Amino acid sequence: MNQVILNICVNAVHAIGKKEGYIHFTADTIAREELFGIPDLETSKISREWERYIRIDIEDNGCGMDKDTLRQIFIPFFTTKKAGEGTGLGLALAEQIITSHKGYMYAESTPGEGTVFHIFLPVLEEGADRETISQSQREKLKIVIADDNAKILQMLGKNFSRLDLQVFTCRERKELHRLLEEENPDVLVIDERIEDGSGVEFCMSVQGKYPDMIKIIMVDCFTKDIVEAKQKKVIDGYLAKPVSDTAILETVRNCRS
């Protein structure tokens, strides 16, 4: 959410420019049924899995956008900024993050008046995380976690130890190859950098050998390479650090849905 809000606010600041302006935040919870009354959301995509959603509105009084620009703002590399002032990835990344969390995002804008971004995220009801864990236990998932950081592995190992799941951890590529060969896991969770190498490149290198294995990258921040890797199906998902056992299991579930 830090990345989403930052990207939207950076665009708002650029839209406001040198004039005096504002960025307003409002948040509330709404019932799922209220989403069906929003014309900019495709009702066929609204999941019935959650009863309530958090709605976050981020409004500015910048230069605004016409309808043609508004239709393209979430397309990667689309930008109205001058060369060198923007990559066109900020809003595309924000939408990717919200979508990966089973949420929805759209914008309304009027040229010369400003823009408001609407974000909807499902509310995790009490006990839902336990349901995710129970489902994973029933499926008897076998998970391999690879990270250079021993403390992270120790923490995740301790958290997973309370679950009836097979979880293996390692810090080196050689050990990781051995675990994949011997255990043939259902899920690989790997840091974006391991032994000065790329986690994405590692996933690409084993893609052909383990086509059914779910591959998830742990990242400090979302980048163009990570988004493109998911779009090209080199990886199945990504997680922002710090990660937890329930976050990993929820990501696995989202990758399968």
Side-chain angles (χ1 to χ4, degrees), residues 26-180:
T26 56
D28 200 357
T29 55
I30 64 172
R32 181 186 62 223
E33 288 72 20
E34 294 183 54
L35 294 178
F36 290 94
I38 300 174
D40 291 273
L41 290 181
E42 295 183 42
T43 56
S44 61
K45 293 184 177 180
I46 298 175
S47 172
R48 297 187 177 276
E49 189 173 353
W50 295 279
E51 295 295 329
R52 295 185 300 147
Y53 283 79
I54 295 172
R55 172 176 175 161
I56 303 171
D57 293 338
I58 304 176
E59 181 182 5
D60 68 67
N61 66 335
C63 61
M65 295 175 280
D66 58 33
K67 291 183 179 180
D68 185 56
T69 301
L70 196 60
R71 282 194 295 267
Q72 303 178 75
I73 58 173
F74 297 126
I75 298 175
F77 309 114
F78 173 78
T79 180
T80 58
K81 300 183 181 73
K82 296 179 182 178
E85 292 184 358
T87 63
L89 280 172
L91 295 178
L93 280 169
E95 195 215 15
Q96 282 274 343
I97 293 168
I98 295 302
T99 301
S100 72
H101 286 79
K102 301 300 180 183
Y104 312 98
M105 178 176 173
Y106 75 96
E108 296 178 295
S109 189
T110 302
E113 296 184 13
T115 302
V116 55
F117 283 87
H118 304 286
I119 299 170
F120 302 89
L121 290 166
V123 174
L124 184 64
E125 306 291 351
E126 185 177 356
D129 56 342
R130 292 193 293 273
E131 182 179 331
T132 298
I133 291 172
S134 297
Q135 179 181 353
S136 300
Q137 289 172 327
R138 290 194 299 271
E139 295 176 356
K140 299 296 183 182
L141 288 176
K142 187 184 292 187
I143 303 172
V144 168
I145 305 174
D147 197 308
D148 282 341
N149 193 317
K151 290 184 178 179
I152 290 177
L153 294 180
Q154 184 179 14
M155 177 199 71
L156 290 173
K158 182 178 180 181
N159 290 345
F160 272 110
S161 66
R162 63 190 174 93
L163 308 177
D164 186 21
L165 298 173
Q166 289 183 282
V167 177
F168 306 88
T169 62
C170 66
R171 296 174 59 189
E172 299 177 351
R173 284 171 171 261
K174 183 177 179 181
E175 176 70 2
L176 179 54
H177 278 293
R178 184 190 66 80
L179 283 173
L180 296 184

Side-chain angles (χ1 to χ4, degrees), residues 233-253:
K233 302 188 184 302
V234 174
I235 61 174
D236 300 285
Y238 40 76
L239 273 170
K241 300 176 188 175
V243 301
S244 66
D245 53 340
T246 51
I248 289 173
L249 294 178
E250 180 66 22
T251 303
V252 172
R253 187 175 75 165

Side-chain angles (χ1 to χ4, degrees), residues 193-248:
R193 304 297 300 177
I194 182 167
E195 283 194 319
D196 296 325
S198 165
V200 170
E201 288 179 1
F202 183 89
C203 290
M204 187 182 300
S205 70
V206 300
Q207 191 172 21
K209 193 170 183 180
Y210 307 99
D212 298 325
M213 181 176 67
I214 294 175
K215 300 175 289 296
I216 298 170
I217 297 285
M218 298 181 288
V219 300
D220 291 309
C221 62
F222 299 101
T223 64
K224 167 188 170 183
D225 291 340
I226 296 298
V227 173
E228 288 187 343
K230 187 174 186 299
Q231 290 175 338
K232 295 176 181 178
K233 302 188 184 302
V234 174
I235 61 174
D236 300 285
Y238 40 76
L239 273 170
K241 300 176 188 175
V243 301
S244 66
D245 53 340
T246 51
I248 289 173

